[in-house]
Structure formats: C-alpha cells, structure tokens
Amino acid sequence: MQNKLKIINDPVHGFIRIPHEILFDVIEHPYFQRLRRIGQTGLLNLIFPGATHTRFHHALGAMHLMFTALETLRQKGVKITEEEEKGAMLAILMHDIGHGPFSHALENMLMDDWHHEKLSLLLMNKLNEEFDGQLSLAIEMFQGKYHRKFFNQLISSQLDVDRLDYLNRDSFFTGVSEGNINTQRIISMMNVCSEGELVIDAKGVYSIENFLTARMFMYWQVYYHKTSALAEFLLVKILERAKYLVSKGMDLPSGENLNYFLHRSKSSATDEDIYRFTQLDDNDIIHAMKSWQDSEDFILSYWCKCVIQRNLPKTVISTHPFTPEFIEGKIKNTNEFFGIDNGKELVHEIKRKLLPYDTEKQPIYLLMKDGRKIRLEESQDQLLSGLMVHKTARYILTFPRDISR
C-alpha cells in the first residue's frame, strides 16, 4: 500500500508535512497538478528573472502555514477537531485550483467575468463528487458558511495564510527583500476570541504593521511595477485582439483548447468549458504568442513580439492621469512612424490603485490582555496603520518604444 503521508522539501518553509491521506490524493489529481504549469506571478520573470515559481509551490506553502496556524491555536486552548483541521487544510490547498494561465486578468478574457474563486469552487465541487463528499467541510469553510468564522478568516481575510505565503515566496523568488515577513512570529500571535473570530494578541501589533507595510512595498515595487503592469496588460490585449480577429473570420494558429476559448461566445459555463479550462496552462498562451508574432495583423504581431522577444513598449509613470493632448500626441507619432491609422490601439493609460489596509473589509482585531478586542488602527501602540487606510494610485502610459527615440 502506498505511503501518502509524504514530506516535501520547500525552498521557503523547509520541510512540509502531508498529515492526511486525502491531501495527498487531491495533490495527485490532474486539476491540482496543472498548477505546476501555471506561474504564480504571471510575466514577472521578465522583470525579476528568478520569479519562475508556480501556483503549485504556493498552494503547498499555504497548506503548511494553515497546519502551523491550527497547531498554534490548539496550544492556546482552541478546540479543533481532526475533521476541521483536514477541512481547513484542504480548503487552502485548493483555493487557487481555478486559476487560469498567467494573470488574474486572463480569467475574464477566457470565461466572461468568471473570477478564479468562482472557478475554484466549481472545481472543488467536482472533486468532492470524485472523493465521495470528503471535501464538503472544506467547501463550507472556503465559502465562509462554517459556523466557526476563524477558519474562513485563515483562508481569506486581510491577514490569511494565503497572503503570508505569497508575500514570503514572491519576496524570496524575486529577491525583493522588502516583502520578507516573519510568518512564524505572526502565526504565533494568532488567537481566537470568544465570538469565534480570528484575532492577534496585542503584543503582535508591530509584526502585523510590518506585514502590512511589506505587502504595500511588494505591490508598488513588484506586482504594480510599471513593467509588470505593462506585461499583464499586454497579455490581456493580445487575447482580446485574438478573439476580435477570430470573430472577424481570421484563422489564428493555436492549441485546441485555447482555440476553443477564442471561438467561444458569451454564455454560462458548460461542462465542456470547465473541461477545456482545466486543460489550459501558461504553455498554451506562450505557444500561441510565438506563432502570432508572424500574424498578418500588425497590432497582434507587434504585441506578441514585444512579449516573446522582451522588447517591451515604453512606459511613463505618474501620480495623475495623463492629459488627452499628451496621449493624442503619442497616437499621432505612432501612426506616422508605422504608417498605420489605428495607432490608438498601441497607446494606453493603465491605472493601478492600492488600499494597503481596508478598515471596512474584515478589519484586523487585536486581543488585549483584559480580553477586549480592538481594531488595529485604534491601538495606542500602532505606528503606521493609521497611514495605510488611504488609497494610492499610479498612472502608467504605454506607447511604442520606437517613437520615443
């Protein structure tokens, strides 16, 4: 009989234990193995060459941190059954199972506004049928329907194990040390209050502030880096353009599954949609972009060359929107340089905004020594949280590099 209680060596957390056989069975499933072929950070490796880690890495890391968090809570007297532990670990293991190729943005292109969480839930339900209902509790926790609220907060909140893993992992693989956080310290400060909600022991206030600032730095320095924002934007425009050209009758070479989505019209998801989606990964998109470099459509060919040859368009960044006159000037120059009349397709303003700490959406609570719980931003000890409740925005204008010479 096969030993399913494996130990996995992870570059970020060290040894990760698989304490329940059902976890191993889910990891072995083709739906989950597909995550090996889906990058965690899209085209970020065009800017940070080390960022080649996958969703597979991240899901295992988040599962490990969930196990650690539940052990910590048990030590503090929180009663957690083996079934609850199994459910929470399964829920976080599968939280990204519905991710499409590359970025979040591509999901909408392929499946009409189907967010990856909706797709994850759909795939979880399919897996639950295959595993005779063993994932029911995990699905309940994932949806926030389980009566003990802290399980869902560990899966999805402003301080969940998902964020704890991806910050450290992305920091590690990009080499951007500002994102490095002390996950063990944060987890050791976790607690559950009398209402059954996740709280942080008051003495952990600075670890939490460090986590929030690290996340803010990672967004502006890595995820929203102007070239990173541009690369993600280009992927969306490439697929958008390809879908448009196909709708006009142009024959574009692509793999069978991607071709299916290029021709798919808007409708609710069918069983075939789901099957085709689970066959797609980053390789399908890369293969298509390599072929489309030679497309007779100038716009599609130009964008694909930009990505595949890493000869990216020029970007200018600003804290304010660009004036219509400035944008018009770039469009005029583009048309003149390339001898085309649709230069506006190659000039775009991209907006990125960030609210580092949202006091309305599941605020972080501190547990005081006298048993009271207070919001993080209300703590007398907080130094930075009060500054992180304001939204910041950046505007990125992209246009062909050729016209900036």
Side-chain angles (χ1 to χ4, degrees), residues 8-48:
I8 297 165
N9 196 349
D10 177 68
V12 176
H13 303 304
F15 291 117
I16 291 177
R17 280 182 56 217
I18 299 179
H20 305 290
E21 292 195 353
I22 182 66
L23 292 167
F24 179 84
D25 292 335
V26 168
I27 290 167
E28 288 285 277
H29 194 280
Y31 285 178
F32 194 84
Q33 289 293 317
R34 181 183 73 102
L35 299 182
R36 289 182 183 273
R37 303 184 301 280
I38 295 195
Q40 171 69 11
T41 50
L43 287 171
L44 209 55
N45 63 326
L46 292 179
I47 301 100
F48 303 96

Side-chain angles (χ1 to χ4, degrees), residues 161-181:
V161 294
D162 173 24
R163 291 183 184 194
L164 291 181
D165 181 79
Y166 78 62
L167 278 181
N168 258 4
R169 192 167 298 279
D170 297 349
S171 164
F172 178 87
F173 282 98
T174 56
V176 176
S177 58
E178 285 80 359
N180 193 13
I181 51 168

